[in-house]
Amino acid sequence: MKNTLKKMLIGGALGLSINTVLADNPIIQTYYSPDPAPVVIDDTVFVYTGNDRGGDFFTMDGWRVSSSTDMVNWTDRGTIILSSRDFPNAKANGDWAAQVIRRNGKYYYYVTVESSIGGGRAINVAVADRPEGPFKNALSGNKHLAGPSWEYIDPTVWIDDDGQAYLYWGNPKLFWTKLNEDMISFNGGIHETDMSRGFAPSGQSSTYTEGPWIHKHNGKYYMIYAAQGIPESISYSWSDSPTGPWEYKGIIMPKNEQGAAFTNHSGLIEFKGRSFFFYHNQRRVPGAGGYNRTSAVEEFTWNADGTIPELHMTDEGVKTPIHYVDPFKRVEAETKAWSYGVGTDKNNNGVYINKIHNNDYIKVRCLDFGEMGADFFTASVSS
């Protein structure tokens, strides 16, 4: 009954074609969501993103988060959970790429800001007791964690099996340092990494640009990054050590894909025995452009030799859920596989759907009605 009822309820009731029903990229439609940074926390995937404001530059106000347990329906966890306003040393509307990691029951948010105490960008860090925040500045006074420097953007963070944490960042160079266990101070100095090693076939370039993402799989370390300048592909190098040397291995997502933005930023996770690649583009959302980007995801299978296959942007995204939704339990409206026209906001009662107009809709996908199915459904609404 799973697929049949899904199509009957969604496709029939709303008059949508099956192609529309199955198209679930980008995964967030209620706000522009660049620079996805996914993290697995217990049985849930949280994807932290920026908040594009549009215009003619990367003007971003704050960071946001959505979550999923099934990889097809995503729950908006709030409006802005952290912004430059939370840091005394940051200018407004310069809130660029960031990543969250958990350690010792705390959640650390490494973010890019534009410094107000010196020329350039900087890496700041905030901390929270819950993955959805609220986050607060983790450093006292007017200090940045790193910077300011115009090269200091796009932090990515990793805790290795021995407990040592590493922080990487940079454009057009890749920098790294060890973090102390407190996650807000350095264990040693800042190092610059040579990313030029390895053979790049004709038509490719190993040139590191920005947006690093660190991952470990079967004992290998993978440095995934935006490459080849503008427009950007997503490429990767690997190493036997978290500090390199890094050997170029190839392109994961080519540049100039249909609907691609001229920049890209990626994240890779393994969840419930499956692997997922996150990125952003400007497809399928009215009014989207190079400064209005939305996060998307593709499932993939590692090659037998440990390399990552070439992936392409799709409208379908993840087709098979981790699990099916139980429709006999309450499903909040901010949990959805796709929406059209609506927005979200938050008050003391939690997140809610707003900006509702005629012909707007919300789709929840992959429900399990069991063998008997259901004759009716109930909805709790307010205005």
Side-chain angles (χ1 to χ4, degrees):
M1 295 292 289
K2 295 170 184 171
N3 290 330
T4 301
L5 263 173
K6 175 191 69 181
K7 293 176 182 177
M8 190 169 68
L9 287 172
I10 302 299
L14 296 178
L16 303 175
S17 70
I18 295 304
N19 287 335
T20 301
V21 170
L22 295 180
D24 294 324
N25 264 339
I27 58 175
I28 299 167
Q29 307 86 40
T30 51
Y31 57 92
Y32 292 116
S33 54
D35 305 326
V39 60
V40 177
I41 298 174
D42 300 325
D43 292 325
T44 303
V45 173
F46 289 80
V47 59
Y48 296 85
T49 75
N51 184 40
D52 269 352
R53 297 284 297 276
D56 58 0
F57 191 63
F58 303 106
T59 304
M60 290 185 258
D61 177 21
W63 296 274
R64 303 183 65 157
V65 63
S66 291
S67 67
S68 179
T69 61
D70 59 18
M71 292 302 297
V72 298
N73 298 292
W74 291 86
T75 302
D76 191 331
R77 302 301 292 260
T79 50
I80 293 173
I81 60 171
L82 179 69
S83 82
S84 54
R85 294 181 291 275
D86 296 301
F87 299 104
N89 53 19
K91 293 183 179 180
N93 298 321
D95 306 345
W96 286 10
Q99 186 180 344
V100 168
I101 198 168
R102 177 172 64 176
R103 184 159 206 172
N104 298 331
K106 298 284 188 181
Y107 299 87
Y108 295 90
Y109 210 157
Y110 300 90
V111 302
T112 308
V113 299
E114 183 173 357
S115 177
S116 62
I117 59 174
R121 302 256 166 200
I123 309 300
N124 280 3
V125 58
V127 65
D129 294 322
R130 299 180 299 174
E132 68 272 23
F135 285 86
K136 62 180 181 179
N137 184 15
L139 300 177
S140 60
N142 233 15
K143 293 185 295 185
H144 297 298
L145 183 62
S149 165
W150 290 115
E151 297 179 332
Y152 281 19
I153 68 171
D154 299 352
T156 183
V157 60
W158 179 260
I159 301 175
D160 209 357
D161 298 335
D162 61 2
Q164 179 61 61
Y166 298 85
L167 185 70
Y168 310 79
W169 68 91
N171 173 343
K173 303 173 183 177
L174 178 65
F175 302 95
W176 68 271
T177 190
K178 292 182 179 181
L179 290 168
N180 289 315
E181 189 169 349
D182 65 9
M183 301 299 283
I184 61 171
S185 61
F186 293 166
N187 178 7
I190 295 174
H191 309 271
E192 183 182 333
T193 302
D194 179 9
M195 296 298 291
S196 65
R197 294 168 58 97
F199 173 74
S202 176
Q204 296 188 29
S205 168
S206 61
T207 304
Y208 168 91
T209 303
E210 60 182 353
W213 183 269
I214 179 70
H215 185 76
K216 189 177 184 180
H217 175 77
N218 287 347
K220 279 281 190 182
Y221 298 86
Y222 294 75
M223 185 60 69
I224 303 164
Y225 49 89
Q228 300 180 273
I230 300 295
E232 294 175 339
S233 64
I234 296 294
S235 300
Y236 76 106
S237 299
W238 73 9
S239 176
D240 293 322
S241 164
T243 61
W246 300 96
E247 179 187 0
Y248 177 74
K249 296 303 295 181
I251 290 176
I252 300 175
M253 182 164 282
K255 62 171 67 183
N256 296 323
E257 293 268 286
Q258 183 180 5
F262 55 84
T263 66
N264 207 340
H265 190 288
S266 61
L268 189 156
I269 58 168
E270 297 179 64
F271 181 53
K272 302 290 186 179
R274 294 161 60 179
S275 300
F276 302 93
F277 179 81
F278 290 75
Y279 59 98
H280 68 223
N281 60 29
Q282 60 186 56
R283 300 174 71 154
R284 292 181 52 80
V285 178
Y291 303 107
N292 296 107
R293 300 157 298 171
T294 48
S295 291
V297 62
E298 309 294 342
E299 185 171 4
F300 75 96
T301 300
W302 297 82
N303 294 325
D305 61 358
T307 57
I308 302 173
E310 185 172 296
L311 302 173
H312 298 275
M313 300 180 185
T314 72
D315 291 339
E316 291 76 23
V318 177
K319 298 178 181 179
T320 304
I322 296 290
H323 65 83
Y324 283 82
V325 175
D326 183 352
F328 300 104
K329 294 181 179 179
R330 182 182 178 96
V331 179
E332 298 287 348
E334 62 269 19
T335 297
K336 52 200 177 302
W338 187 264
S339 65
Y340 177 81
V342 301
T344 57
D345 207 342
K346 187 176 183 179
N347 60 20
N348 291 335
N349 295 320
V351 181
Y352 62 92
I353 296 295
N354 66 355
K355 301 179 181 178
I356 303 171
H357 316 90
N358 288 337
N359 299 317
D360 289 356
Y361 65 86
I362 291 171
K363 177 182 73 174
V364 179
R365 185 158 74 85
C366 298
L367 292 85
D368 185 358
F369 286 89
E371 293 302 318
M372 297 301 293
D375 296 323
F376 64 92
F377 72 94
T378 60
S380 175
V381 298
S382 63
S383 64

